[in-house]
Amino acid sequence: MQTHSSHPIRVLCSRISEQLEQSVTVQGWVHAIRNLGRLAFVHVRDRSGIVQCVLEGELAEMTLSLESVVSVTGLAVEASKAPGGLEIRASAIQCISAAAAPLPFEINKKTIGARLDTMLDNRVLSLRHPKVHATFHIQAALAGAFRDYLTERDFTQIFTPKIVASGTEGGSNLFPVDYFGRPAYLAQSPQFYKQMMVGAGYERVFEIAPVYRAEEHNTSRHLNEYVSLDVEMGFIRSEEELMDLEQDMLGYMLRKAGAECEAEFALLGVELPVPHDIPRIPVAEAQSILQRKYGKTSPKGDLDPEGERLICRYAAEQNKPAFVFITRYPREIRPMYAMPAPEDAALTASFDLIFNGLEITTGGQRIHDYDELTASIRGRGLLPEHFESYLDLFRYGMPPHGGFAIGLERLTSRLLGQPNVREASAFPRDRMRLTP
Amino acid sequence: MQTHSSHPIRVLCSRISEQLEQSVTVQGWVHAIRNLGRLAFVHVRDRSGIVQCVLEGELAEMTLSLESVVSVTGLAVEASKAPGGLEIRASAIQCISAAAAPLPFEINKKTIGARLDTMLDNRVLSLRHPKVHATFHIQAALAGAFRDYLTERDFTQIFTPKIVASGTEGGSNLFPVDYFGRPAYLAQSPQFYKQMMVGAGYERVFEIAPVYRAEEHNTSRHLNEYVSLDVEMGFIRSEEELMDLEQDMLGYMLRKAGAECEAEFALLGVELPVPHDIPRIPVAEAQSILQRKYGKTSPKGDLDPEGERLICRYAAEQNKPAFVFITRYPREIRPMYAMPAPEDAALTASFDLIFNGLEITTGGQRIHDYDELTASIRGRGLLPEHFESYLDLFRYGMPPHGGFAIGLERLTSRLLGQPNVREASAFPRDRMRLTP
């Protein structure tokens, strides 16, 4: 690469220690300023870290606002009192892009002293706070580890359409799209398409893509658009294999993200859980435990949010990790494609995974027999004609199969102990929020 | 893992050679059948390959249809005349899922003898044909290599919303979404959001996600929903750095996909191009070349599809690879955020990449100064108020930056020499097609 005198090569803050006693140029955002008149200390932040720049004489007189983008050239020297043990004695400073002052909130304190809504309204600023910033490095690492784990095991990444002609579960909670004057919807999940790709001979597939739920909820647990980490696998013997896979995969993802984002987890003070020997508790048994231990009554065949929190507390009391698989949900609360349990056709070979008190996964084995599936659709009061292009899949040879999906934002927010899932979405979409 | 006698461990076709003279069980689809009365040869296909199973006596009398899913157990033996040099002498065969007969088209011939529309109508079947199948393994490898290359270079994977309040380019070609009774749209590109993530301090970001274009075109080059491989990078000195990056990255992606999908490329007879020294031709000069060499007249400031084909032919005649960067598009045909060229404000610091006769990338440096950007928006007859949450980005310190996007289906189809981009989409969405 050429060096242009007018365009000095930029050095990242994290690499300055390799160039001590040399002239270097750093470029980044003004994180903090301490002005003592003829002497000023300016902290410059780039994607790798923060460095202290010392401005003397005329340079110290420059008017600078926090969060402006600057280019500072100077001698890199050791400085025991400076953060990181080094600083730059500036010989030149240039303001590339001045920031308006004052900022809507301070981002160089330990935490942002603003409400979540204000942080989301000023998302580009709040994302610059090191602790908020760390969230999305960790999220990217989790998604990358998901891909690596599955690719290594012969899973093929797929890309399926999000504009669909009908819903996967009968038509509720769908966002309507005007598709050249024809009615269409945003996909609630890639469910049908990932099953089709299994049946198309890929056998093992995964997808990392947005899904849409037009739910009117406005809670700390719901997003109307979120990233779904989807897995589907053919030639399984039962849903137990899927839980084996998810447990092992989560262990890999946490170890990998932990290694890649060691500094981020340390900054956030998060200790990574180890998902081994996750209990697998039939929902009826979980309900009994909740009733017996906590006097908690659950809705029919399911756990409510309070029940999800309590069953994780129960697991913690047994010295188990903060994960619990709940299994054997009744057919009436699972989708029409859920495989009946072998021992009781009123139950399903399905599961949820609860992590730190919140459901982060729904999964299970699917019905692969054409006649059984059409009967199940009819049993819901739905019309097989409405599922024609999906049902075609079962006409031409379909192996036993199943899968699951992990909500990426829920996984991230539970891992980081964030009370609101919106904190784990760079630009959340909820009942009220469409911008930024 | 335990072995259940009722559930024998499945062996992949590609691993049978490791278990010669042993009893094995294969599970897969019936690819071909040759029945000689008391002897039948059944080819079973799984995700790893095809194996010949020999059925004798009563077993040969079983009624089997093509593409049914079967489980075959038997002795694995060398067989010089069998495909792959081995076969299974079946002791048991079970039909797991019977396929309806006849199939809408044959998929065990060298190519599918059906029209593209018929193939897309019966997508699960057509995807099983080895040549069609190969396309999406290659596509997954390309997307994976894109991620690996960028992650290695400090780029962070981002996930940004596809439901947006307004378009990036003024409102045309948008699919409307009913968002709880409020008007919203499907994102044409993550343009604004990837710029925001650069400005949020991530500096270098990429996204792999669907984008939506409500274009009325119904051509072999257009999809209304496609996967965009987006890149955005801060602290660049000019758009030349972006072209350097894309050239190097494409080289990596093709080498990596080439290594991972050697068998697939061989099956398709595709030789991988090497994108080195890609010419960078200002669009005005490209137009002159087309006029001079081929008598071809171009639209104002742009190339049309015929021009894109001819400029690649021109490059080939110069012994250049099948890639050409076209640069310096006039401002009037680029978006309002395009950075003016330093030497002529009527032109932009932008580029397209043409590959094998088709534009697969649009990119360039972006305006990062707030006043310059609002002036540019006004210059288009647009209202800055409509871009408020985007413009906020430029109020709090924004570095020079730029990026580009690659259409994944276009890259795949051009690489594989497919005449229609729909062939590189598992479930294409076009003017007429919403299913499967």
Side-chain angles (χ1 to χ4, degrees):
Chain A
M1 201 174 282
Q2 280 183 280
T3 310
H4 307 274
S5 57
S6 61
H7 284 114
I9 294 287
R10 177 191 189 213
V11 177
L12 287 179
C13 291
S14 62
R15 310 295 294 271
I16 294 170
S17 60
E18 298 163 19
Q19 303 203 29
L20 287 177
E21 302 301 328
Q22 296 175 49
S23 176
V24 298
T25 296
V26 293
Q27 297 183 328
W29 288 266
V30 175
H31 186 69
I33 304 170
R34 191 154 54 98
N35 201 318
L36 310 173
R38 297 287 288 172
L39 182 67
F41 297 93
V42 173
H43 287 192
V44 174
R45 186 188 68 241
D46 67 17
R47 71 177 189 272
S48 74
I50 294 176
V51 70
Q52 172 165 294
C53 300
V54 185
L55 278 56
E56 289 186 280
E58 275 184 16
L59 292 184
E61 288 164 24
M62 182 173 179
T63 309
L64 267 184
S65 54
L66 288 171
E67 295 305 315
S68 295
V69 175
V70 294
S71 181
V72 180
T73 299
L75 192 68
V77 294
E78 285 192 354
S80 58
K81 287 178 190 165
L86 52 83
E87 65 189 16
I88 294 175
R89 302 222 172 110
S91 55
I93 177 166
Q94 184 203 346
C95 181
I96 294 173
S97 173
L103 301 173
F105 43 77
E106 291 182 320
I107 64 160
N108 57 11
K109 299 290 180 290
K110 274 211 163 176
T111 54
I112 298 180
R115 294 179 53 236
L116 181 56
D117 262 341
T118 310
M119 287 172 59
L120 295 177
D121 287 341
N122 298 278
R123 197 50 163 158
V124 169
L125 265 186
S126 63
L127 284 169
R128 291 183 193 167
H129 187 280
K131 283 189 179 172
V132 182
H133 204 76
T135 300
F136 299 95
H137 279 305
I138 290 168
Q139 189 164 79
L142 289 169
F146 174 80
R147 176 191 165 268
D148 289 344
Y149 180 90
L150 292 169
T151 302
E152 188 62 36
R153 281 154 189 80
D154 242 13
F155 284 77
T156 301
Q157 183 166 14
I158 59 172
F159 302 93
T160 71
K162 305 306 155 204
I163 303 181
V164 296
S166 60
T168 43
E169 293 169 30
S172 58
N173 296 329
L174 290 166
F175 284 115
V177 177
D178 175 356
Y179 195 74
F180 300 115
R182 290 161 71 188
Y185 305 95
L186 292 180
Q188 290 168 299
S189 93
Q191 183 61 38
F192 291 178
Y193 292 98
K194 62 180 184 166
Q195 291 183 260
M196 286 191 217
M197 290 304 269
V198 167
Y202 293 93
E203 296 187 16
R204 299 174 161 208
V205 299
F206 69 95
E207 180 158 13
I208 303 174
V211 296
Y212 302 89
R213 305 283 167 104
E215 294 170 345
E216 296 270 353
H217 305 297
N218 207 0
T219 77
S220 61
R221 307 186 314 278
H222 287 92
L223 293 167
N224 294 105
E225 172 172 4
Y226 67 89
V227 177
S228 184
L229 306 179
D230 266 276
V231 174
E232 197 78 10
M233 177 158 70
F235 297 99
I236 61 171
R237 286 164 293 174
S238 80
E239 81 286 6
E240 298 286 332
E241 277 182 65
L242 302 171
M243 288 186 271
D244 292 346
L245 178 76
E246 183 170 16
Q247 171 173 303
D248 192 54
M249 182 178 78
L250 282 171
Y252 177 89
M253 287 168 66
L254 297 181
R255 283 193 305 277
K256 189 97 189 283
E260 284 177 12
C261 299
E262 205 179 337
E264 285 84 351
F265 283 111
L267 177 70
L268 296 172
V270 168
E271 224 170 292
L272 287 168
V274 181
H276 62 88
D277 297 330
I278 302 178
R280 300 176 185 186
I281 309 177
V283 66
E285 188 185 325
Q287 291 185 332
S288 301
I289 291 168
L290 295 180
Q291 185 70 60
R292 200 173 64 236
K293 295 271 299 182
Y294 310 104
K296 161 77 188 162
T297 306
S298 295
K300 201 174 170 213
D302 205 356
L303 304 186
D304 60 16
E306 173 72 5
E308 292 178 356
R309 277 191 292 273
L310 288 173
I311 201 71
C312 285
R313 197 213 283 185
Y314 169 77
E317 286 167 6
Q318 317 286 307
N319 289 317
K320 295 284 189 182
F323 298 86
V324 181
F325 281 116
I326 304 294
T327 65
R328 290 292 185 258
Y329 287 92
R331 287 191 80 173
E332 64 209 73
I333 69 157
R334 299 298 265 203
M336 53 79 176
Y337 49 76
M339 179 69 108
E343 79 286 0
D344 181 352
L347 303 178
T348 54
S350 68
F351 59 90
D352 278 6
L353 178 61
I354 320 289
F355 171 38
N356 275 342
L358 185 68
E359 176 230 305
I360 60 162
T361 285
T362 292
Q365 185 167 354
R366 331 295 187 184
I367 297 172
H368 62 275
D369 180 76
Y370 180 86
D371 294 331
E372 190 177 347
L373 186 56
T374 48
S376 179
I377 291 172
R378 284 208 184 86
R380 305 293 169 121
L382 300 170
L383 293 171
E385 301 88 277
H386 289 170
F387 298 93
E388 199 178 0
S389 80
Y390 172 58
L391 282 170
D392 273 350
L393 167 61
F394 304 89
R395 287 205 176 95
Y396 297 115
M398 186 67 189
H401 67 286
F404 57 86
I406 301 173
L408 179 59
E409 295 86 349
R410 283 190 170 192
L411 173 64
T412 309
S413 73
R414 289 295 78 207
L415 191 59
L416 304 184
Q418 295 165 335
N420 195 315
V421 70
R422 288 166 182 76
E423 296 181 58
S425 174
F427 304 99
R429 289 292 173 262
D430 62 29
R431 187 73 188 72
M432 305 311 295
R433 185 174 288 282
L434 255 176
T435 55
Chain B
M1 202 175 281
Q2 281 184 280
T3 309
H4 309 271
S5 58
S6 60
H7 283 117
I9 295 288
R10 179 191 186 212
V11 177
L12 287 179
C13 290
S14 62
R15 310 297 292 271
I16 295 170
S17 59
E18 298 163 20
Q19 303 203 29
L20 287 177
E21 301 302 328
Q22 296 175 48
S23 176
V24 298
T25 297
V26 293
Q27 297 183 328
W29 288 265
V30 174
H31 188 69
I33 304 169
R34 193 155 51 99
N35 201 319
L36 309 173
R38 297 286 289 172
L39 182 69
F41 297 93
V42 173
H43 287 192
V44 174
R45 186 187 70 239
D46 67 19
R47 69 176 191 273
S48 74
I50 295 175
V51 69
Q52 173 167 294
C53 301
V54 186
L55 278 56
E56 289 185 280
E58 274 183 16
L59 291 183
E61 287 164 25
M62 183 173 179
T63 309
L64 267 184
S65 53
L66 287 170
E67 294 305 315
S68 295
V69 175
V70 294
S71 181
V72 180
T73 299
L75 191 70
V77 294
E78 284 192 353
S80 58
K81 286 177 189 167
L86 52 82
E87 64 188 17
I88 294 174
R89 302 223 171 111
S91 53
I93 177 166
Q94 182 202 350
C95 181
I96 296 173
S97 173
L103 300 173
F105 42 77
E106 291 182 321
I107 64 161
N108 57 12
K109 299 290 180 291
K110 274 212 163 177
T111 53
I112 298 180
R115 294 178 52 234
L116 181 56
D117 262 342
T118 310
M119 287 172 59
L120 295 177
D121 287 340
N122 298 277
R123 197 50 163 158
V124 170
L125 264 186
S126 63
L127 285 169
R128 292 183 193 168
H129 187 279
K131 283 189 178 171
V132 181
H133 205 76
T135 300
F136 299 94
H137 279 304
I138 290 168
Q139 189 164 80
L142 289 169
F146 173 80
R147 175 191 165 267
D148 289 344
Y149 179 90
L150 292 169
T151 302
E152 190 62 37
R153 281 155 189 81
D154 242 13
F155 285 77
T156 302
Q157 183 165 15
I158 59 173
F159 302 93
T160 72
K162 305 307 155 203
I163 302 182
V164 296
S166 59
T168 44
E169 291 169 33
S172 58
N173 294 330
L174 290 166
F175 285 115
V177 178
D178 175 357
Y179 195 74
F180 298 116
R182 290 160 69 188
Y185 305 95
L186 291 180
Q188 289 168 301
S189 92
Q191 182 61 37
F192 291 177
Y193 291 98
K194 62 180 184 167
Q195 293 183 259
M196 287 191 217
M197 290 303 270
V198 167
Y202 293 94
E203 294 186 18
R204 300 174 161 208
V205 298
F206 69 94
E207 182 160 11
I208 304 173
V211 296
Y212 302 89
R213 306 283 167 103
E215 295 170 344
E216 296 270 352
H217 306 296
N218 208 0
T219 77
S220 61
R221 307 186 312 279
H222 288 91
L223 293 169
N224 294 104
E225 172 172 5
Y226 68 89
V227 177
S228 183
L229 305 178
D230 266 277
V231 174
E232 197 78 11
M233 178 159 70
F235 297 99
I236 62 170
R237 285 164 293 176
S238 79
E239 82 286 6
E240 298 286 332
E241 277 182 67
L242 302 171
M243 287 187 274
D244 292 347
L245 178 76
E246 183 170 14
Q247 171 173 302
D248 192 55
M249 182 179 76
L250 282 171
Y252 176 88
M253 287 167 66
L254 297 181
R255 283 193 306 278
K256 189 97 190 284
E260 284 176 12
C261 299
E262 206 180 336
E264 285 85 350
F265 283 111
L267 177 70
L268 296 172
V270 168
E271 225 172 291
L272 286 168
V274 182
H276 62 87
D277 298 330
I278 301 179
R280 299 176 185 186
I281 309 177
V283 65
E285 188 184 324
Q287 291 184 332
S288 302
I289 291 167
L290 294 181
Q291 185 71 58
R292 198 172 64 237
K293 295 272 298 182
Y294 310 104
K296 161 77 188 162
T297 305
S298 295
K300 199 170 172 216
D302 206 356
L303 305 186
D304 61 15
E306 174 71 6
E308 292 178 357
R309 277 191 292 274
L310 288 172
I311 202 72
C312 286
R313 197 214 285 184
Y314 169 78
E317 284 168 5
Q318 317 286 307
N319 288 319
K320 296 282 189 183
F323 297 87
V324 182
F325 280 116
I326 304 294
T327 66
R328 290 292 185 257
Y329 287 91
R331 286 191 80 174
E332 65 210 72
I333 69 157
R334 299 299 263 203
M336 52 80 175
Y337 49 75
M339 179 69 108
E343 79 287 359
D344 182 352
L347 304 178
T348 54
S350 68
F351 60 90
D352 277 6
L353 178 61
I354 320 289
F355 170 40
N356 276 343
L358 184 68
E359 177 232 304
I360 60 160
T361 286
T362 292
Q365 187 167 353
R366 331 295 186 184
I367 297 172
H368 62 276
D369 180 79
Y370 180 86
D371 294 331
E372 190 177 347
L373 186 56
T374 49
S376 179
I377 290 172
R378 285 210 183 83
R380 305 294 169 118
L382 301 170
L383 294 170
E385 301 88 276
H386 290 170
F387 297 93
E388 200 177 358
S389 81
Y390 172 58
L391 281 169
D392 273 351
L393 168 61
F394 303 90
R395 287 204 175 99
Y396 296 114
M398 186 68 188
H401 67 286
F404 56 86
I406 302 173
L408 179 59
E409 294 85 350
R410 282 191 171 193
L411 172 64
T412 309
S413 73
R414 288 295 81 206
L415 190 61
L416 304 185
Q418 294 164 336
N420 195 315
V421 70
R422 287 168 183 75
E423 296 181 59
S425 175
F427 303 100
R429 289 292 173 263
D430 64 28
R431 186 75 185 71
M432 305 310 295
R433 185 175 288 281
L434 255 176
T435 55

